Amino acid sequence: MPPAQLARPDEAAVLNALRGVIDPELGDNVVDLDMVRSVQVGGDGQVVVEVALTIAGCPLRTQLRDDVTARVNAVPGVTGVKVRMGEMSPDERAALMAKARWRAREGAPTTEIPARTRVVAIASGKGGVGKSSVTANLAASLACRGLTVGVLDADIWGFSIPRMLGLEGRISGERTDAGPKIIPLEKQVGGGLLKVVSMGFLAVEDEAIMWRGLMLNRAVQHFLEDVRWGDMDYLLIDMPPGTGDVQMGLARMLPRTELLVVTTPPLAAQLVATRVVDMARKGYLRVAGVIENMSAFTCEHGTSYPLFGSGGGERLAGEVGVPLIGSVPLDPAVAAGGDAGSPVVLAGASAVADAFAAIARRLVTEVSPVVEMSGCTARMMERVEAALEPNP
């Protein structure tokens, strides 16, 4: 008896097999990423697959071709596979990256950050704009309002939050049912509480941390997943400058993050800060507002001097369509307070303290209000639980 003839494979079967081919950089399969341009199945079982790469010189070119060949060869009835590699157009590449970022966002890992906590990243396009001093003083201002505020120092290379908040020591850990957890260092400020995690509690302050992107991302992931943060009203994240690995990793791991973009008055700083806004929106993060730091300096005689120019914060806010939620005047007391480990907002009344208090008030009341668990959803859950209780 002649051997049975295998049925001719169809396009659907080939596409289903290709869903097993994962682009390791984008973390999804080539079909759902629209990287498969065409599939042709011949009557003799020969299959031709055209795959569009993001760039012609993609370093994964050989691996993807081999994976496609192996997966399609496993489909019953396939007698041979030919893979053609093409290159995406700029529009196709932009659509692919947007889809990959969205899918990564939807598959965000579980973290230790409570659902009710407002997560606010303090970001900038460049270093030297006072992002860490803004984070430290804004955290202290929020705590003075009686709030519990987490502070995550995600600037792994250039950590400075511990010194600015006057915290020393090593963070410890404890074993829980979910595994070992890191315990943040805490500090009472006014009627509130700060919970702080930083590489500064793990590393020697004057020794360089020479890590590349993967290690940086992994450190931030540990701070999000393996720290027992507990209940918090806000989590402020002091971001490293730029639009690199940590920023992209945060968008994937904690997609509910909102950004406050810090800029200084000069046009050059404003233009660089625009890139951070673009990065955030491409990662589907909300840009909550702009803070202008180091605005006019006022001398003891009451005369103001715009040493770094003026209007940068307002221009940036207008250009990207978000509110300017405050301008912080240039004052040597900010640096002095940071060096002493006592944020300037705790030193008594001043123009700088008033500016941070106003930013904190606006953040709480308008921009990113505290989530009240006593609201309608909580009441609804109480009613459901009461209804499910057995009758006496």
Side-chain angles (χ1 to χ4, degrees), residues 18 21 64-74 81-83:
L18 287 172
V21 179
L64 287 172
R65 184 186 62 228
D66 291 347
D67 286 351
V68 168
T69 302
R71 292 282 178 173
V72 177
N73 262 327
V81 181
K82 182 176 182 180
V83 182

Side-chain angles (χ1 to χ4, degrees), residues 22-28 60 63-64 67:
I22 305 298
D23 185 307
E25 286 189 321
L26 300 176
D28 207 346
L60 299 172
Q63 178 182 336
L64 287 172
D67 286 351

Side-chain angles (χ1 to χ4, degrees), residues 21-46:
V21 179
I22 305 298
D23 185 307
E25 286 189 321
L26 300 176
D28 207 346
N29 70 79
V30 294
V31 176
D32 290 344
L33 288 172
D34 294 329
M35 295 175 67
V36 178
R37 278 187 171 160
S38 66
V39 172
Q40 300 173 20
V41 181
D44 56 354
Q46 291 286 326

Side-chain angles (χ1 to χ4, degrees), residues 175-181:
R175 294 195 175 277
T176 69
D177 292 340
K181 296 295 178 182

Side-chain angles (χ1 to χ4, degrees), residues 120-124 129-143 149-155 158 160-162 164-165 189 194-198 234-241 259-262 291 293 328 334 338 343-345 356 359-360 363:
V120 180
I122 313 299
S124 66
V129 299
K131 175 175 42 57
S132 295
S133 65
V134 168
T135 303
N137 281 281
L138 181 55
S141 294
L142 290 168
V149 183
V151 181
L152 169 54
D153 191 352
D155 195 350
S160 54
I161 288 296
M164 289 184 169
L165 291 177
V189 174
L194 298 181
K195 300 181 178 184
V196 186
V197 170
S198 170
Y234 286 92
L235 174 64
L236 301 187
I237 305 179
D238 182 21
M239 299 293 291
L259 257 69
L260 290 180
V261 180
V262 179
I291 296 175
N293 196 28
V328 180
V334 175
V344 68
V345 298
F356 278 114
I359 292 171
L363 184 70

